[in-house]
């Protein structure tokens, strides 16, 4: 059962909001609250009223405070409200002292707070100014886990805030140092050739697969990678696992993340208007990948892409790769120019998505007659975590 929610005196539809919480929902509570926060984010509401009947009200309060809201809980008569206002006051005290010490260290506390908020309420990932570790440390102090509340209550607020501020400052600096160190280790004497190939990764779940695709895409000179939905990406969740198989390619390739694949298609329509939209999927309308003529040869061979105001006018190819189980979103299939497949001769009807991507990318380059004589390095195999 879902009850109405008042947000700044605006009634949200009951069907959209999960409010009445029972003990049987305990296992999935965090995921439900994540959806709840994302819904609330669109209105940037500051006050949330929740009607609850169990102890999970306190968990709801904690989760919402993590998203930057003041959560006032309307409890049933048998649920105590004692301590809620005190907990909120304690949280504000921790926040005020932490921000004070962060400011002393030269850290933009307001920007860090916003970065923490957006990391939870959007799909943009972690702000590159601070990095994942610093943001998580900020959240851990402002909104500690219930299991740590007693420990936090016994600590001197100012001493703890000072310690966390120094830790956050160190983690943010380490993140920036590692990024800068990577940039210094890129051989700038070698020119990276770029071709009008764009990959769209539609709700891929495996960070290892995504990292492998980044590495192949970089080797093929792709222009950029667009990630959508739950797909791990360099500035979001799963970035560490992605980096293990990408081996630095994720730092080179331009990347944009979108909440949905339709948003990615709108981006292509607006900023890459002349690319052919090609999906990789086994369907009745699929054609063999090597029987399609891919546009973009002239731009590829001349190494000159026509780009005006961030809009690429050169012809090219946007290759859509779908989820490992469900494939490319069926809703966008009619919007694709072509759907291609790789022939299978065994009992299975598909390859791993990370294996499919380079097959088609190299076929595109073969058709464009791209010469390898000017490539920055010759092809080689390696044993580093492949």
């Amino acid at each position: 059962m879902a009850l109405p929610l008042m947000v700044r005196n605006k009634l949200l539809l009951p069907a959209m909001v999960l409010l009445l919480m029972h003990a049987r929902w305990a296992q999935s509570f965090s995921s439900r609250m994540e959806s709840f926060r994302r819904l609330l984010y669109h209105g940037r509401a500051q006050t949330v009223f929740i009607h609850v009947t169990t102890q999970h009200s306190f968990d709801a309060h904690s989760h919402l405070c993590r998203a930057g809201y003041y959560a006032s809980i309307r409890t049933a008569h048998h649920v105590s409200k004692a301590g809620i206002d005190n907990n909120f006051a304690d949280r504000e005290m921790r926040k005020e002292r932490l921000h004070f010490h962060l400011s002393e260290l030269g850290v933009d506390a307001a920007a860090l707070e916003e970065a923490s908020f957006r990391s939870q309420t959007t799909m943009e990932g972690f702000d590159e100014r601070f990095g994942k570790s610093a943001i998580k440390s900020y959240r851990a102090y402002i909104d500690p886990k219930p299991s740590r509340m007693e420990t936090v209550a016994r600590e001197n607020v100012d001493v703890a805030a000072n310690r966390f501020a120094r830790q956050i400052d160190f983690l943010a600096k380490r993140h920036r140092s590692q990024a800068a160190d990577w940039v210094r280790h890129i051989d700038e004497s070698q020119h990276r050739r770029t071709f009008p190939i764009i990959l769209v990764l539609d709700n891929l779940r495996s960070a290892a697969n995504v990292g492998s695709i980044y590495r192949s895409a970089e080797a093929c000179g792709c222009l950029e990678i667009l990630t959508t939905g739950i797909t791990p990406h360099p500035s979001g969740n799963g970035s560490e696992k992605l980096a293990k198989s990408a081996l630095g390619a994720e730092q080179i390739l331009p990347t944009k993340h979108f909440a949905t694949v339709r948003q990615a298609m709108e981006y292509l329509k607006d900023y890459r208007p002349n690319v052919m939209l090609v999906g990789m999927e086994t369907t009745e309308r699929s054609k063999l990948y090597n029987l399609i003529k891919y546009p973009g040869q002239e731009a590829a061979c001349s190494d000159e892409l026509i780009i005006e105001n961030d809009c690429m006018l050169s012809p090219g190819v946007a290759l859509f790769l779908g989820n490992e189980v469900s494939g490319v979103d069926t809703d966008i299939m009619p919007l694709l120019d072509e759907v291609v497949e790789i022939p299978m001769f065994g009992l299975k009807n598909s390859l791993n998505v990370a294996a499919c991507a380079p097959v088609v990318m190299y076929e595109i380059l073969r058709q464009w007659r791209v010469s390898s004589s000017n490539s920055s390095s010759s092809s080689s195999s390696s044993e580093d975590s492949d």
Side-chain angles (χ1 to χ4, degrees), residues 20 27 46 80 114 119 194 258 263 293 299 320 338 373:
L20 189 59
Q27 295 299 322
Q46 297 303 315
S80 173
E114 178 67 14
S119 72
T194 303
F258 300 90
Q263 291 179 5
K293 184 176 182 181
F320 287 71
E338 296 286 357
S373 59

Side-chain angles (χ1 to χ4, degrees), residues 121-250:
T121 57
T122 74
M123 305 190 74
E124 297 174 0
F126 296 94
D127 194 313
E128 287 300 316
R129 291 173 295 175
F130 304 104
K132 180 177 181 178
S133 297
I135 292 174
K136 292 186 72 173
S137 181
Y138 174 87
R139 292 207 304 254
Y141 180 67
I142 297 293
D143 296 300
K145 295 180 179 179
S147 59
R148 294 197 66 253
M149 286 301 294
E150 290 188 10
T151 303
V152 172
R154 290 195 298 266
E155 283 188 302
N156 180 287
V157 174
D158 204 56
V159 172
N162 182 40
R163 184 177 73 251
F164 268 86
R166 294 182 181 281
Q167 179 185 31
I168 291 168
D169 180 49
F170 166 75
L171 292 172
K173 287 179 178 177
R174 185 183 68 176
H175 169 76
R176 292 192 292 269
S177 175
Q178 289 174 341
D181 185 64
W182 167 251
V183 171
R184 286 193 293 270
H185 282 81
I186 296 176
D187 189 349
E188 296 181 354
S189 66
Q190 297 181 345
H191 172 64
R192 178 179 182 268
R193 301 179 69 186
T194 303
F195 306 113
I197 301 177
I198 301 166
L199 295 188
V200 183
L201 308 185
D202 176 19
N203 282 293
L204 271 65
R205 62 182 181 179
S206 168
N209 281 341
V210 174
S212 180
I213 291 172
Y214 266 86
R215 191 174 179 187
S216 298
E218 199 285 320
C220 290
C222 282
L223 177 68
E224 62 187 343
I225 289 183
L226 310 182
T227 58
T228 74
I230 65 171
T231 305
H233 53 103
S235 60
N237 289 326
S239 58
E240 295 91 346
K241 292 182 179 179
L242 185 157
K244 288 181 180 179
S245 53
L247 293 179
E250 80 284 2

